[in-house]
């Protein structure tokens, strides 16, 4: 079997069947056995007066179309296109790809602005920000308000945290979301204002204790001034005295716990010599 030749540096070189079998660029000249393979007809290459008598090849077909093909479609990767193969050697790449043959996937994360320690995941002509717990949004720019769902029960107050929340429960409830009824005894010192705590179930309040209130205070925990539950009468004012005990401050002419009693100034018999006393409100 004769040796197979291939083209290398514009010359015919003996070698294997695949060596130099594909190439890109413009072909200057081709020779076989040292003889030029003409690209143009004989009368174009040589003047009419020139008689070429040595061994040579003649172009028996019509003259091929002139021009170099710089870009080959099969070289373009990832949907690239040779838009002008005779003028440009590089492929026109779709969004997300780069390099002459569109083989390089552009890393959009190099210019992405993911926030709050989020992780950027590169895509084709896009990127995705993978948010840490507690954040959301295309760029993880928004902190999630976990209190929006009202997680605290039974009147608990919610404080938003990053990726969480905290409930401040009322005295009657406990638990992460104030979901459990608090078992309170006298060991928890529930009674206020110096009142006395007595262990045992109270059927009136439902508590496991009973507070015996000092004078001036009322309520299951003795934390409410009595005159806020029972209104002072006859224009009296609910206030605390010098010992910080709630009292009804009566206007002149009245007395009693709620100033409900009118003072009878005639009771002391202030009139002499048979005079008749008539009581008035001062």
């Amino acid at each position: 079997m004769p040796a197979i030749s291939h083209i290398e540096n514009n010359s015919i070189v003996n070698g294997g069947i695949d060596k130099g079998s594909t190439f890109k660029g413009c072909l200057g000249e081709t020779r076989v056995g040292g003889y030029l393979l003409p690209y143009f007809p004989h009368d174009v290459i040589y003047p009419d007066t020139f008689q070429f008598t040595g061994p040579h090849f003649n172009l028996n077909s019509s003259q091929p179309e002139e021009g170099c093909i710089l870009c080959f479609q099969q070289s373009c990767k990832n949907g690239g296109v040779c838009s002008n193969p005779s003028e440009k050697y590089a492929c026109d790449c779709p969004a997300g790809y780069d390099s002459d043959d569109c083989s390089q996937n552009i890393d959009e994360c190099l210019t992405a602005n993911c926030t709050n320690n989020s992780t950027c995941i590169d895509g084709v002509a896009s990127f995705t920000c993978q948010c840490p717990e507690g954040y959301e949004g295309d760029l993880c720019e928004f902190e999630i308000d976990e209190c929006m769902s009202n997680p605290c029960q039974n009147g608990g107050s919610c404080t938003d945290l990053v990726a969480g929340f905290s409930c401040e429960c009322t005295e009657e409830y406990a638990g992460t979301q104030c979901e459990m009824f608090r078992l309170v005894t006298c060991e928890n010192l529930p009674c206020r204002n110096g009142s006395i705590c007595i262990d045992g179930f109270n059927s009136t309040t439902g508590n496991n204790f009973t507070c015996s209130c000092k004078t001036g205070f009322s309520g299951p925990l003795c934390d409410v001034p009595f005159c806020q539950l029972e209104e002072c009468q006859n224009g009296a004012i609910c206030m605390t005295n010098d010992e910080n005990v709630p009292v009804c401050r009566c206007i002149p002419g009245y007395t009693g716990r709620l100033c409900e009693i009118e003072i009878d100034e005639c009771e002391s018999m202030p009139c002499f010599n048979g005079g008749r006393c008539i009581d008035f409100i001062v």
Side-chain angles (χ1 to χ4, degrees):
M1 179 177 178
I4 298 175
S5 300
H6 66 276
I7 299 170
E8 185 173 292
N9 295 327
N10 296 330
S11 299
I12 300 299
V13 179
N14 294 329
I17 191 170
D18 60 344
K19 183 177 181 182
S21 59
T22 60
F23 59 90
K24 291 177 63 174
C26 295
L27 189 63
E29 65 178 32
T30 304
R31 293 182 179 272
V32 177
Y35 301 124
L36 178 67
L37 287 178
Y39 183 82
F40 300 95
H42 183 81
D43 58 352
V44 175
I45 301 175
Y46 304 107
D48 293 339
T49 58
F50 180 77
Q51 298 297 321
F52 194 82
T53 59
H56 65 278
F57 292 101
N58 285 328
L59 179 65
N60 295 325
S61 63
S62 61
Q63 180 178 338
E65 182 182 351
E66 295 182 38
C68 293
I69 301 300
L70 303 177
C71 180
F72 295 87
Q73 184 60 44
Q74 62 267 28
S75 300
C76 298
K77 308 291 193 301
N78 299 307
V81 176
C82 288
S83 61
N84 193 354
S86 62
E87 298 292 334
K88 294 170 44 179
Y89 67 87
C91 306
D92 288 346
C93 303
Y97 292 99
D98 198 6
S99 79
D100 290 347
D101 61 353
C102 306
S103 59
Q104 180 180 353
N105 179 14
I106 299 173
D107 187 358
E108 282 79 13
C109 286
L110 295 177
T111 56
N113 51 348
C114 298
T115 60
N116 293 309
N117 295 319
S118 55
T119 301
C120 183
I121 300 175
D122 181 45
V124 177
S126 66
F127 65 89
T128 302
C129 296
Q130 190 174 58
C131 304
E133 280 192 279
Y135 293 94
E136 63 182 359
D138 291 340
L139 303 177
C140 305
E141 69 273 30
F142 300 117
E143 181 190 347
I144 299 172
D145 185 357
E146 284 79 10
C147 288
M148 288 290 291
S149 60
N150 297 317
C152 302
Q153 304 174 25
N154 299 305
S157 177
C158 183
T159 301
D160 179 46
L161 306 174
V162 176
F165 61 89
S166 174
C167 291
E168 183 177 351
C169 305
T170 60
E171 294 183 351
E172 295 83 5
Y173 293 91
T176 305
Q177 296 178 249
C178 307
E179 71 277 11
M180 298 182 297
F181 189 79
R182 186 191 301 273
L183 181 61
V184 179
T185 65
C186 288
E187 291 183 359
N188 303 109
L189 304 176
C191 301
R192 304 287 190 267
N193 298 305
S195 57
I196 299 173
C197 184
I198 303 170
D199 273 318
F201 181 72
N202 187 320
S203 59
T204 302
T205 63
N207 295 329
N208 295 307
F209 59 88
T210 300
C211 294
S212 178
C213 301
K214 295 184 67 173
T215 301
F217 293 96
S218 297
L221 302 180
C222 303
D223 55 349
V224 182
F226 79 95
C227 46
Q228 288 185 9
L229 300 178
E230 300 177 78
E231 186 177 357
C232 298
Q233 301 178 21
N234 298 307
I237 300 174
C238 181
M239 58 179 296
T240 55
N241 61 17
D242 294 338
E243 297 177 356
N244 205 31
V245 176
V247 294
C248 285
R249 182 177 179 181
C250 305
I251 64 174
Y254 291 95
T255 188
R257 180 169 172 268
L258 299 174
C259 302
E260 74 279 12
I261 302 172
E262 179 190 346
I263 299 174
D264 184 1
E265 283 77 14
C266 290
E267 187 176 1
S268 60
M269 302 178 66
C271 300
F272 299 113
N273 302 310
R276 185 167 66 92
C277 181
I278 301 173
D279 180 44
F280 293 100
I281 298 175
V282 177

